Amino acid sequence: MRIFRDLGWFFKQEKSRYILGVALLIVVALLDIFPPYVVRLVVDGIEQGNVTPAFLLQWLSLMGAAGIAMYILRYIWRILLFGAAFRLGKQLRGDLYMHYTRMSPRFFNVRRTGDLMAHATNDVQAVRVTAAEGVLTLVDSLVLGGLVILSMAIFISWKLTLIALIPMPFMAYAISRYGNMMHERFLKAQAAFSKINDKAQENISGIRVVKAFGQEEAEKQSFDQLSQGVVEKNIAVARVDALFGPTISLIVGVSFFLAVAFGAGYVIGGEMTIGQLTQFTIYLGQLIWPMLAFGFLTNVVQRGRASNDRIRSLLNVKPDIADRKGAVQHPATGAIQFDIDQFTYPGAVRPALEAIQATVSQGGTLGLVGKTGSGKTTLFRLLLREYEATNGSVSIGGIPVEGYTLSALRAKIGYVPQDHFLFSATIRENIAFGKPNATQEEIERVTRLVQVHEDILRFKDGYDTVVGEKGVTLSGGQKQRISIARALLLDPEILILDDSLSAVDAKTEELILKALREERAGKTTLIAAHRLSGVEHADEILVLKDGTVRERGTHQQLLNNEDWYARMHHQQQLKSLIEKGGVADGNEAVARLSSTSS
Ligand code: ADP
């Protein structure tokens, strides 16, 4: 019953509702005792032949009044207790959501999204059920059960009570056991169901790949297998479910058998009236629910406790990146200084960055190039303080990024990540994500800048086109450009483009870069790119290799260097010449290239 103590804070918070709710439950339990007593009076009256209409009217009206009172009170306590529990669910969900938003990427790297969602749904649900049904079954099993047993023992016969109650503990035990079995099997059935769901979703999204590789039959077979699993697991649930009814009937039947067999003896022996025996059997019927409730209670309490413990332990994880004491709230502006001796991701063996020194003056542009995995994104992450540089520092305007509050730091940075993400909302809402009250003119200005305005107008609903699940209606290049527009709309002091134009064709890229240069004049821009044309105009370009700076300089200096950058530049120029179709074949392209570059 520790869970009720653990949820003490909530019961205190909702004190008046719980006190009133439980008080009403007790009143209803007391009222419940009354009707069987009336039945006894009437039966005994009939047997003794002294029932008058006035007698009947009086007692039956009282019984009716009790029935109406119970009807109303039951309605009120349900609203009080269950309503309070819904508030608990809302509060826990809100706490978890807020907690998730405060967590750094590291937290999400080590936890599966499905698990985090499960905490926010299943676990919250289990705790909510404990705060509602748990309290109800606790009060009902103890108070109603206790009152009925006391009434049987005091008003009728303690001997018969003891005899008739013998089978009842078995029922509580059986219900508790079945409940646990049912829960375990139900979880397995649910897991099987979510597996088949994932499979169906994956196959539908990946249908082109499945067809292209001719894997329809194999996929169908594996789907059938999963489907069979779902059937078997659900039958297993049904098997336990089917045990409840017969078990309850059997045990209650035995109890009634004992009550009537021994009770009849007592009536014949004159120890008890027929009315009392009738009253007794009605009470026995009333005991079924409290006994069941007691069985359920153990399950509800166990599950609620396990879920509450999981939620608490999750809420107790401290965000590893939080505002430091004395962090400044004023906006992060000024030159950016990277001074990193070494940075290794938590849990990684090899450093992702080593010996990186670079300065980007306010309004300057830094270009980052290098193979995939060379550390470009990592450098941005340190600037955004998604991770913290342990050996070294990253500062803006002379203040280390840790010296700013997270909101002050991130408010001034517009970040277009490599794995851009669009919400399932309209294009307009996606662009205006950081500035929900942006006007259409403001939105169009940035979409024209990134050359996506015309594309958007070509959709039937224009800016109101809803981006499908995972943005399927848009091409990769369109998604990238919309993501850049989203960042540009905020006119950030510092703009980070992490390979944000990789899916855009060379000609459009050129137009966007030109527009960006004008737009970003006087503002700091950091660009990582695969295509070197993306960084050509940067004040300084760092060529990263395995987390270290292999070359650095301006475009011209790097060309003169005749190292990796110069080689890549030649290769990419060649490729773009061929793509533009201006040349018939590679040989001609090489000839043209050597004539232009010499
Ligand atoms: P780039 O942006 O140049 O493609 P990244 O900065 O993403 O490169 O990666 C640099 C290195 O850090 C890679 O070796 C990559 O595997 C590693 N890395 C990236 N993210 C993590 C992470 N969360 N945990 C551990 N290692 C990581």
Side-chain angles (χ1 to χ4, degrees):
M1 298 292 152
R2 198 192 77 198
I3 179 68
F4 292 114
R5 208 183 57 218
D6 289 349
L7 287 178
W9 63 272
F10 178 71
F11 297 138
K12 249 185 231 150
Q13 186 182 310
E14 297 279 336
K15 199 163 57 192
S16 48
R17 282 172 171 272
Y18 270 97
I19 289 178
L20 190 57
V22 170
L24 291 184
L25 266 177
I26 296 173
V27 174
V28 171
L30 283 169
L31 286 173
D32 243 353
I33 301 297
F34 179 66
Y37 173 69
V38 177
V39 174
R40 161 194 173 170
L41 289 182
V42 174
V43 171
D44 280 346
I46 293 169
E47 199 212 10
Q48 288 151 15
N50 55 8
V51 174
T52 61
F55 171 89
L56 264 186
L57 184 70
Q58 183 197 343
W59 284 104
L60 291 185
S61 344
L62 279 174
M63 197 160 96
I68 293 170
M70 280 192 280
Y71 174 88
I72 296 170
L73 296 183
R74 280 199 171 117
Y75 176 76
I76 300 176
W77 72 244
R78 254 194 125 75
I79 290 183
L80 285 172
L81 287 189
F82 287 20
F86 275 117
R87 265 195 280 277
L88 173 65
K90 176 173 176 267
Q91 188 161 343
L92 287 179
R93 248 194 315 275
D95 288 352
L96 276 175
Y97 182 78
M98 275 308 289
H99 194 63
Y100 290 165
T101 59
R102 281 196 209 107
M103 289 295 149
S104 69
R106 183 180 170 188
F107 173 86
F108 296 99
N109 280 350
V110 294
R111 284 177 174 78
R112 295 212 327 256
T113 314
D115 288 343
L116 295 178
M117 301 286 282
H119 288 305
T121 49
N122 300 349
D123 283 340
V124 167
Q125 160 93 344
V127 177
R128 183 185 66 74
V129 166
T130 309
E133 273 94 335
V135 172
L136 163 68
T137 46
L138 178 71
V139 176
D140 260 0
S141 55
L142 294 186
V143 178
L144 181 60
L147 275 176
V148 171
I149 292 174
L150 278 181
S151 306
M152 290 158 91
I154 295 172
F155 300 134
I156 305 168
S157 155
W158 64 265
K159 268 192 293 180
L160 192 58
T161 307
L162 278 182
I163 295 168
L165 282 185
I166 292 170
M168 289 298 188
F170 293 103
M171 183 159 88
Y173 172 74
I175 297 303
S176 161
R177 224 183 114 60
Y178 293 165
N180 267 339
M181 276 162 71
M182 175 107 163
H183 183 64
E184 276 164 26
R185 294 183 184 197
F186 181 68
L187 286 185
K188 284 188 187 147
Q190 256 191 334
F193 184 69
S194 70
K195 234 185 189 166
I196 201 169
N197 241 348
D198 286 347
K199 180 86 188 165
Q201 199 190 1
E202 195 181 281
N203 270 347
I204 291 169
S205 348
I207 190 75
R208 285 204 303 263
V209 181
V210 174
K211 280 182 187 289
F213 283 77
Q215 289 300 309
E216 291 97 324
E217 202 41 49
E219 285 300 305
K220 188 175 165 294
Q221 267 173 18
S222 85
F223 190 85
D224 280 349
Q225 230 170 21
L226 287 179
S227 194
Q228 184 59 28
V230 172
V231 172
E232 278 160 18
K233 300 216 162 71
N234 274 304
I235 290 178
V237 172
R239 281 215 183 93
V240 183
D241 198 22
L243 279 175
F244 277 92
T247 307
I248 293 168
S249 306
L250 180 70
I251 294 177
V252 171
V254 173
S255 187
F256 270 89
F257 173 82
L258 292 174
V260 175
F262 283 84
Y266 293 148
V267 173
I268 293 165
E271 278 181 59
M272 194 187 269
T273 65
I274 295 180
Q276 276 182 312
L277 181 58
T278 317
Q279 183 187 9
F280 189 88
T281 53
I282 300 176
Y283 281 150
L284 208 49
Q286 284 184 341
L287 256 191
I288 299 173
W289 161 241
M291 288 297 156
L292 288 180
F294 195 73
F296 287 134
L297 178 66
T298 55
N299 297 157
V300 168
V301 162
Q302 271 174 12
R303 268 170 239 158
R305 195 174 107 178
S307 288
N308 194 49
D309 287 351
R310 277 197 292 269
I311 293 175
R312 287 292 136 204
S313 72
L314 196 61
L315 287 176
N316 283 338
V317 179
K318 295 256 173 305
D320 50 356
I321 299 212
D323 287 344
R324 295 253 172 109
K325 242 202 179 126
V328 295
Q329 182 61 46
H330 68 73
T333 56
I336 302 171
Q337 177 86 38
F338 292 101
D339 196 354
I340 298 158
D341 291 337
Q342 198 183 66
F343 170 74
T344 310
Y345 276 106
V349 209
R350 228 170 44 85
L353 291 176
E354 248 176 314
I356 309 265
Q357 264 81 32
T359 308
V360 194
S361 57
Q362 184 166 10
T365 302
L366 177 74
L368 291 177
V369 290
K371 288 191 194 133
T372 308
S374 56
K376 303 182 293 289
T377 305
T378 307
L379 202 61
F380 294 148
R381 285 189 182 144
L382 295 183
L383 176 62
L384 284 159
R385 210 177 149 220
E386 284 186 0
Y387 288 87
E388 279 178 359
T390 34
N391 286 327
S393 76
V394 180
S395 57
I396 302 175
I399 301 176
V401 285
E402 298 85 7
Y404 293 100
T405 61
L406 285 169
S407 58
L409 175 71
R410 293 179 186 163
K412 286 288 154 187
I413 305 181
Y415 179 38
V416 187
Q418 209 168 6
D419 45 355
H420 47 77
F421 177 82
L422 296 185
F423 296 93
S424 293
T426 64
I427 293 182
R428 185 199 319 282
E429 285 162 341
N430 265 294
I431 296 173
F433 183 67
K435 194 178 177 187
N437 52 1
T439 63
Q440 181 65 19
E441 286 71 42
E442 288 175 292
I443 291 176
E444 279 186 25
R445 202 180 74 79
V446 289
T447 52
R448 280 179 211 277
L449 270 176
V450 295
Q451 309 288 327
V452 76
H453 174 67
E454 303 290 330
D455 290 47
I456 296 172
L457 290 190
R458 271 197 289 277
F459 294 121
K460 188 165 70 66
D461 296 323
Y463 280 85
D464 293 318
T465 305
V466 176
V467 178
E469 203 187 0
K470 294 197 220 134
V472 282
T473 51
L474 303 177
S475 74
Q478 284 166 339
K479 280 189 274 187
Q480 283 191 334
R481 281 174 282 161
I482 288 175
S483 306
I484 303 177
R486 171 161 70 195
L488 280 181
L489 186 68
L490 300 175
D491 194 17
E493 202 68 37
I494 299 166
L495 176 69
I496 301 177
L497 300 178
D498 191 354
D499 211 4
S500 312
L501 292 168
S502 57
V504 176
D505 64 84
K507 208 170 127 235
T508 315
E509 183 197 33
E510 212 175 299
L511 289 171
I512 297 175
L513 287 172
K514 187 164 169 287
L516 272 182
R517 274 199 298 284
E518 285 163 20
E519 172 74 10
R520 300 292 304 161
K523 298 211 180 73
T524 316
T525 308
L526 284 78
I527 307 181
H530 253 95
R531 231 182 272 145
L532 302 187
S533 47
V535 295
E536 253 178 46
H537 294 270
D539 302 314
E540 186 179 27
I541 302 164
L542 300 188
V543 180
L544 297 185
K545 184 177 183 245
D546 297 335
T548 56
V549 180
R550 172 177 172 152
E551 294 175 76
R552 67 192 307 159
T554 60
H555 176 66
Q556 201 49 52
Q557 286 166 344
L558 289 171
L559 284 186
N560 297 341
N561 233 6
E562 292 193 4
D563 194 3
W564 184 87
Y565 187 92
R567 269 205 316 280
M568 281 301 283
H569 181 70
H570 288 310
Q571 272 178 23
Q572 289 185 1
Q573 271 208 317
L574 188 62
K575 202 166 151 243
S576 91
L577 268 178
I578 295 171
E579 272 170 8
K580 275 182 191 157
V583 286
D585 60 30
N587 288 337
E588 192 191 333
V590 176
R592 278 235 220 156
L593 193 63
S594 44
S595 68
T596 48
S597 61
S598 56

